[in-house]
Amino acid sequence: MSDQKVEIRNPKALLFSLCFVLMFSVMNGTMFNIAIPDIAEAFDLMPSEVSWVMTGYIMVYAVGALVYGKLTDSISLKTLITFGLLVFSVGSLLGFVAPNYAVVLIARMIQAIGGSMIPAIAFIAPIRYYPNERGKVLGIIASVMAFASGIGPILGGMIAGFLSWQFLFLTSALIVVTLPFLRANLPDEKTEWVKIDYLGGGLVAGFIVSSLMGITLEQVWSFGVAIVLLVLVILRMKWARHPFIPPHLFKNSRYGVTLMVSFIAVACLFGLMFSVPIMLRDVYSLTTLQIGIAMFPGAMSAALIGRKGGKLVDQKGSRTIFLVSLLLLLAGFLIVSTTVGTHPVILSVSLIFPMLCFPLVQASGADILANILSKSETGVGMGVFNLLNFVSGALSGALVGKALDLYRPEHPINPLGISGSGSVYSNVFIIFMTLILIGFVLFKTLHKENSIQEAESS
């Protein structure tokens, strides 16, 4: 796209529409977690079969987020969002009337093809259209994602409980009502068709899918395929004239270390969101609705802190806020680890501390990357950022799930923790705390060194 400054008619209306559509997109993923047992019962499916409702969706969604990110560098956001929302709505309506499980899966894949456009554009739009308030807008976007992740299971449980799981698809289809508002407020930008490395994109997609299959389905052969495809991706990046992912992105050490530490932080946050519902059922025997209520304060705190945190990114600098958010996240995991086994209300309050860090980490990390990337590479650079977010969620969920299956200690590592059935969860949160500490040290050390080098060279 052209580097010329773009004017938008109504910035507030555009931001509201983006947040609304993003909330529906994120909830669409979390709502279906609740409905998986109902879908399995409806079609008499084994757990391995019904898991494709989520696994297949995640795979297509992850690939799509990267592809759409690449396309935003050449195609107008108005065109992309129109295509994405229409496709998503078609998939939602198809799922609502699906007569069998095969059609349900097809509907979910179509949803993912359209819906994966949303996070790509949600992170590109603040960078492109709100340059003077980028941190604040990114904070709002991240807080909406965190809030939707928390409220999705509650809403999904209510819809599936009072109506049926089919109505989750119908609820998702309502996202199309935002299209007129988005089209009215998005600027008319010229589409600059450029040559796209389809072979390189296909290799990247194959690597992502095979990696996610290995992670989520525990298929060893998938990792072998992923390694082969990764080698081919690297060779293609070196040999292609216009590679799908420019290799010099990863030669920038600031970009690389920010991606790596952000990946660690988001993986730990997704691991928290994955393990807490299981813990509340396992340790406290709470119902689905009670689990949602227990997690609601944390989700609400994330929603409330997002805008303020985004302003701080603009005022104090993204690097400073990123480091502070890592320290807060570290302390939050320690608090949760210590309160596992206490009264559910105490645990619910303790969850606020790590969950409110979600928008801070996302907003400051995205702003750091936006400062590093050139305008012509913002789309693909942020696409890789979104891709790693999805991969981190799949990886942390698989690893935590395996740990819960195999590891049942009687006493926690945390000397302040409570012994009993919650010990394994306390230990998981201590491990997350340790990973965040490692990430903090890496970022503070490597980013500082880069800053010094740049100062000396300027």
Side-chain angles (χ1 to χ4, degrees):
M1 302 299 294
S2 173
D3 289 349
Q4 186 177 358
K5 185 178 179 180
V6 179
E7 296 291 338
I8 50 180
R9 297 187 184 92
N10 192 330
K12 290 184 177 180
L14 176 59
L15 179 58
F16 179 81
S17 301
L18 285 171
C19 289
F20 190 78
V21 76
L22 180 64
M23 185 171 68
F24 264 88
S25 174
V26 175
M27 286 197 305
N28 181 68
T30 57
M31 284 193 304
F32 277 88
N33 287 336
I34 299 295
I36 282 180
D38 294 334
I39 297 174
E41 183 179 353
F43 298 108
D44 192 23
L45 302 171
M46 298 290 290
S48 59
E49 295 173 318
V50 76
S51 66
W52 279 98
V53 170
M54 293 306 301
T55 302
Y57 183 85
I58 291 172
M59 289 180 185
V60 177
Y61 204 91
V63 173
L66 178 59
V67 172
Y68 280 114
K70 177 71 174 180
L71 294 176
T72 59
D73 289 329
S74 58
I75 301 176
S76 70
L77 298 194
K78 181 181 285 190
T79 300
L80 290 176
I81 207 163
T82 300
F83 172 81
L85 288 186
L86 290 177
V87 171
F88 182 87
S89 299
V90 168
S92 300
L93 293 174
L94 179 62
F96 179 64
V97 299
N100 53 55
Y101 182 56
V103 177
V104 170
L105 284 183
I106 293 172
R108 287 290 280 168
M109 302 303 165
I110 295 174
Q111 275 191 325
I113 292 172
S116 56
M117 163 275 308
I118 297 168
I121 290 180
F123 278 98
I124 295 297
I127 297 170
R128 185 174 295 177
Y129 303 139
Y130 302 87
N132 298 325
E133 300 179 294
R134 188 173 65 197
K136 183 182 78 172
V137 176
L138 284 170
I140 294 172
I141 293 292
S143 68
V144 169
M145 292 182 66
F147 177 73
S149 297
I151 201 68
I154 301 176
L155 183 60
M158 292 176 63
I159 294 172
F162 288 107
L163 297 170
S164 69
W165 60 266
Q166 290 97 329
F167 281 86
L168 296 178
F169 279 106
L170 190 61
T171 302
S172 298
L174 294 175
I175 199 173
V176 77
V177 303
T178 62
L179 184 56
F181 300 99
L182 287 165
R183 286 190 59 83
N185 291 290
L186 281 168
D188 294 314
E189 300 171 284
K190 291 183 179 179
T191 294
E192 300 174 1
W193 297 103
V194 296
K195 187 175 181 180
I196 296 177
D197 179 19
Y198 294 104
L199 175 58
L203 291 172
V204 171
F207 167 69
I208 296 167
V209 170
S210 56
S211 298
L212 288 174
M213 286 183 67
I215 293 168
T216 58
L217 302 180
E218 301 179 14
Q219 295 179 342
V220 178
W221 63 268
S222 294
F223 289 113
V225 173
I227 292 172
V228 173
L229 289 173
L230 177 60
V231 172
L232 294 175
V233 166
I234 294 172
L235 293 176
R236 182 65 183 176
M237 287 169 62
K238 290 182 177 180
W239 294 341
R241 180 174 297 180
H242 303 287
F244 189 79
I245 300 178
H248 63 264
L249 278 180
F250 302 102
K251 293 179 181 178
N252 187 322
S253 56
R254 286 199 305 159
Y255 179 82
V257 73
T258 303
L259 275 184
M260 179 174 61
V261 176
S262 178
F263 178 88
I264 293 172
V266 174
C268 292
L269 282 164
F270 275 122
L272 174 76
M273 294 179 184
F274 173 82
S275 57
V276 165
I278 300 174
M279 177 188 68
L280 292 173
R281 179 67 59 85
D282 185 21
V283 179
Y284 296 96
S285 300
L286 299 186
T287 65
T288 301
L289 182 58
Q290 289 172 331
I291 290 172
I293 293 172
M295 297 183 68
F296 183 74
M300 182 58 72
S301 69
L304 295 175
I305 197 68
R307 185 170 184 175
K308 181 63 177 176
K311 287 182 178 179
L312 288 173
V313 169
D314 290 329
Q315 295 169 359
K316 304 296 184 181
S318 51
R319 182 180 182 275
T320 299
I321 300 303
F322 192 67
L323 287 169
V324 170
S325 65
L326 291 176
L327 287 177
L328 291 174
L329 189 55
L330 186 153
F333 280 124
L334 177 61
I335 292 170
V336 175
S337 172
T338 303
T339 56
V340 172
T342 61
H343 193 278
V345 173
I346 297 176
L347 181 63
S348 177
V349 172
S350 73
L351 289 172
I352 292 174
F353 295 96
M355 291 182 73
L356 64 79
C357 295
F358 190 102
L360 295 178
V361 170
Q362 288 280 79
S364 56
D367 194 70
I368 291 171
L369 294 177
N371 287 326
I372 295 171
L373 296 166
S374 66
K375 289 185 178 180
S376 63
E377 294 173 341
T378 299
V380 67
M382 296 305 294
V384 174
F385 173 71
N386 281 320
L387 167 66
L388 289 179
N389 282 344
F390 297 120
V391 174
S392 69
L395 177 62
S396 63
L399 293 178
V400 170
K402 182 60 66 176
L404 296 179
D405 288 341
L406 303 177
Y407 180 54
R408 286 290 173 174
E410 295 182 1
H411 305 287
I413 299 172
N414 183 354
L416 301 175
I418 299 173
S419 298
S421 59
S423 296
V424 62
Y425 300 99
S426 177
N427 290 350
V428 166
F429 300 138
I430 284 294
I431 292 172
F432 288 159
M433 184 196 77
T434 305
L435 290 173
I436 296 297
L437 177 60
I438 294 172
F440 174 85
V441 173
L442 285 174
F443 184 82
K444 185 172 178 60
T445 303
L446 297 179
H447 221 271
K448 184 176 181 180
E449 288 176 352
N450 286 322
S451 300
I452 293 172
Q453 290 170 3
E454 286 181 1
E456 291 175 349
S457 62
S458 61

